[in-house]
Amino acid sequence: MDHLLMDKQETMREIFGETLLQLSMEDERVYVVDGDLANSTKIDVVAEKNPQKFLQMGIAEQNMLSVCSGLATTGLQPWAVTFAAFLSKRAIDQIQVQIAQPNVNVKMIGGYSGLLTGLTGKTHQSLEDIAIFRSLANVIVLAPADSVEVKKMMRFAHQYDGPVYIRLARDPYPVIFSEDDEFQLGKAVSLKEGNDLTIISTGTQTSRSIEAARLLQEGGFSIAVLHMPSIKPLDKEAIVTAVETTGFIVTAEEHSIYGGLGSAVAEVLVEEKPAPMLRIGVKDRNAESAPNEQLLDKYELSASYMANAIRNFLKRNSRQVK
């Protein structure tokens, strides 16, 4: 059955803060470690309601991740929370040497990921974090599509013994999933069936992919949408099945086209089932500050851009197939 975009919208960060507060109260091991962004990431609710579990590290991300590594070695479960840009780039050496290599139980949360970071500009935008974390051995990489999936992923991460990176967005997104839907590590979720092409999307780009598929359906195209919440490990079987069903693959992510979901899917196709493929994401360029819709259009991520790009891709490759 096709999943529908609900009229209801929720912000991932609000739900994240509330859920993390619950976890900190339920489990004595859970500590929340902040990089001086609690108001933006919405973990200030922990500082207010469970202050003994809230550790303020200031604007010192390298030290913050080192502290988290130390806490984990004592049996605690630290949740390091800051912007994705700062987590993935400022503290990468500490993450690799002190968390990934020794495989310690640290949860790393990258807020304000992608393009839409509230007019903060290129210094605060993260278009490389999936690529960076995907390259680190032992690190699970997750990107939820909505607030419901955020809660499911957090509960998984809490039970999982090892480093996990979860990529969160700033602004409200349509609710796609119900409370009955479950998150499974390494498993894709079929959101819409189709015969002509499969869009494989992750994170915030999934709701836009559903909308793009609807726009294409109005033009007579039958488009499947496969949501990939778990980027590492990746659901290789679902990718191969999608190719065998529709023959054409488009990947979609609010991330660089280099090293992220598109690269991961391409690796599977090259090794398992070569097929025509299009990557939708930010090209080889830095972004800038602007309102959300302008950014999505300029950097070719909007649902309307996706629909046009897929239409042209299908026309071009259908001629080649014939």
Side-chain angles (χ1 to χ4, degrees), residues 203-225:
T204 53
Q205 200 64 19
T206 289
S207 56
R208 298 180 200 115
S209 297
I210 295 173
E211 182 60 30
R214 287 179 176 172
L215 293 173
L216 288 162
Q217 185 171 321
E218 293 172 1
F221 293 100
S222 176
I223 306 297
V225 179

Side-chain angles (χ1 to χ4, degrees), residues 2 192-199 213-214 216-225 245-246 248 310 314:
D2 291 352
K192 186 179 183 304
E193 296 181 352
N195 301 315
D196 296 331
L197 176 145
T198 302
I199 302 173
R214 287 179 176 172
L216 288 162
Q217 185 171 321
E218 293 172 1
F221 293 100
S222 176
I223 306 297
V225 179
T245 302
T246 66
F248 300 108
I310 291 170
L314 277 172

Side-chain angles (χ1 to χ4, degrees), residues 147-182:
S147 58
V148 174
E149 200 167 42
V150 169
K151 289 185 287 186
K152 305 292 184 178
M153 284 183 178
M154 291 179 70
R155 290 292 175 178
F156 157 78
H158 177 238
Q159 296 298 322
Y160 179 80
D161 185 15
V164 177
Y165 174 65
I166 303 178
R167 183 182 215 245
L168 301 181
R170 176 188 185 273
D171 293 337
Y173 278 83
V175 175
I176 299 172
F177 296 102
S178 73
E179 295 294 339
D180 294 331
D181 289 315
E182 293 297 328

